[in-house]
Amino acid sequence: MNILLVEDNQLLAKGTAKLIERLGGHQVFITAEPKEIFQQCEAGAVELVIMDINLPGACWQGQKVDGSILSRYLKEQWKQIPIILVTGYTMPAEQHFLLSESGADSCYTKPITDYDAFLGMITLLGQRRN
């Protein structure tokens, strides 16, 4: 499965990519640039998106955006691509709000400590896609 990891913290991105690649058979592309995200989706190169909520400096169509807004834009164009949000927000009400506003399929709190559940979600969403 081709996974697009949207994360601006390169250290965290590389660690998460290694975690996902441990599943085997997955290729992880890392970016935090909205233009590149949409180009990858347009090219059909993305089967799953893992999106950080906090993307300081991210700008799309002249406006500052965060992962929630980008997720909503992606879902408007590519409903079939599953999206997992990753956030520092820990309150269930905050995560529920993020999911309802973004249209994402799942949400995990940083740092990801329940690796098995996280990797299971990636596998499940990948299977649902196929």
Side-chain angles (χ1 to χ4, degrees):
M1 178 170 35
N2 292 327
I3 298 173
L4 181 62
L5 176 59
V6 181
E7 172 62 64
D8 61 340
N9 180 320
Q10 288 300 305
L11 184 62
L12 187 57
K14 288 179 183 175
T16 303
K18 283 184 180 179
L19 177 69
I20 295 167
E21 289 168 352
R22 279 194 342 208
L23 284 171
H26 300 298
Q27 187 163 6
V28 180
F29 303 97
I30 300 170
T31 188
E33 295 296 325
K35 183 177 180 181
E36 190 172 350
I37 296 166
F38 285 92
Q39 287 174 340
Q40 292 281 331
C41 290
E42 182 72 35
V46 177
E47 297 174 89
L48 172 71
V49 174
I50 299 173
M51 176 92 66
D52 184 17
I53 290 294
N54 190 17
L55 298 168
C59 189
W60 177 247
Q61 297 179 334
Q63 295 184 358
K64 290 188 109 181
V65 293
D66 64 11
S68 177
I69 294 170
L70 287 172
S71 176
R72 190 173 60 237
Y73 288 161
L74 289 175
K75 281 293 187 180
E76 288 173 2
Q77 296 183 48
W78 298 282
K79 290 181 178 132
Q80 76 281 9
I81 299 176
I83 299 174
I84 298 174
L85 298 178
V86 182
T87 179
Y89 300 124
T90 59
M91 299 295 291
E94 293 170 315
Q95 292 186 8
H96 179 74
F97 177 76
L98 285 172
L99 285 172
S100 66
E101 290 297 310
S102 68
D105 298 278
S106 186
C107 187
Y108 278 82
T109 302
K110 284 199 245 182
I112 296 169
T113 55
D114 190 349
Y115 298 116
D116 290 336
F118 181 64
L119 295 176
M121 180 58 68
I122 291 169
T123 302
L124 180 67
L125 290 174
Q127 291 169 347
R128 192 178 80 186
R129 165 96 167 66
N130 296 326

